[in-house]
Amino acid sequence: MTQLKELPLTTLQFYATAPYACSYLPGKTARSQVATPSHLINADLYGELVNAGFRRSGLYTYRPYCDECNACTATRILVKEFIPSRSQRRAWKKHLGLEARVLNLGYQEEHYQLYQRYQNERHAGGEMDHENQDQYMQFLLQSRVNSRIVEFRDGPNDPHPGRLRMVSMIDILEHGISSVYTFFDTTTNAASFGSYSILWQISQALELNLPYLYLGYYIKNSEKMSYKAKFQPIEGLIDDHWQPIIGP
């Protein structure tokens, strides 16, 4: 495991934020460690930061830095060893008809409207609920690395060809794909769009001959974050070393 002190980060500074309410564990207080200045964090340097447990939100690069909690674990799927479960194979087969299109970062009103509907349905009352257009653009459309939008639409054999179903934001790094954020149509109860998005990203990492899909933070006791352990084999950055996370 590459230690943070060994990275070429001499021009960066790191500071800890003030405590704030944790978004995932009720009653918990969180802090983040932030890398600055953001304009120096290019694709190569960001890849090393991701390997040390950092993530980005727009131009903001951070990792959990909580005083009394270490529940957040950075994760990566070993894509060449990945074996889909039965339910994941069903999800893949169910949504194979979706047409994926990879786009450069840029604002599209249709994407923003889907994002708003997704937030209202899945995160009502949360900190991202009712984000305005500027906040959406700062969160997902600002990047200094190799970032892409992937939109998924119903195919020609579906009842509503061309209907936007899902949008994923990804970063393409030297050693893997980093999954930034995914939002999707929540009106179809039997859909497995979230799982399909991860499976599609795994397939793209394999196609690009990249060893990892970085999947963000795993939190065992958070329903919103524990699902990541279902994608095996997956590793977590624990005590500064990448170690296997055992699935549920």
Side-chain angles (χ1 to χ4, degrees), residues 117-130:
R117 293 194 297 272
Y118 174 81
Q119 294 298 338
N120 291 339
E121 175 66 26
R122 291 298 179 94
H123 300 289
E127 62 180 11
M128 292 191 293
D129 188 22
H130 302 303

Side-chain angles (χ1 to χ4, degrees), residues 24-35:
Y24 301 106
L25 298 176
K28 292 286 189 177
T29 298
R31 289 205 300 166
S32 296
Q33 184 181 50
V34 181

Side-chain angles (χ1 to χ4, degrees), residues 135-222:
Q135 291 169 318
Y136 166 79
M137 293 175 69
Q138 290 172 13
F139 172 40
L140 293 176
L141 301 182
Q142 292 192 56
S143 172
R144 289 193 172 91
V145 300
N146 186 10
S147 302
R148 294 290 185 270
I149 296 172
V150 187
E151 63 171 29
F152 298 84
R153 295 180 181 273
D154 281 344
N157 297 323
D158 290 311
H160 303 283
R163 178 170 57 177
L164 181 66
R165 287 293 203 163
M166 178 166 60
V167 175
S168 292
M169 308 293 185
I170 62 173
D171 294 335
I172 303 172
L173 309 174
E174 182 180 1
H175 299 297
I177 292 175
S178 178
S179 183
V180 178
Y181 198 74
T182 294
F183 52 94
F184 49 82
D185 182 356
T186 60
T187 61
T188 305
N189 292 331
S192 304
F193 292 128
S195 292
Y196 182 76
S197 172
I198 295 172
L199 296 170
W200 185 90
Q201 290 174 46
I202 290 172
S203 73
Q204 290 303 295
L206 286 169
E207 187 173 320
L208 295 171
N209 198 30
L210 298 172
Y212 304 115
L213 172 62
Y214 293 92
L215 206 55
Y217 298 117
Y218 164 75
I219 304 175
K220 183 176 181 179
N221 294 323
S222 169

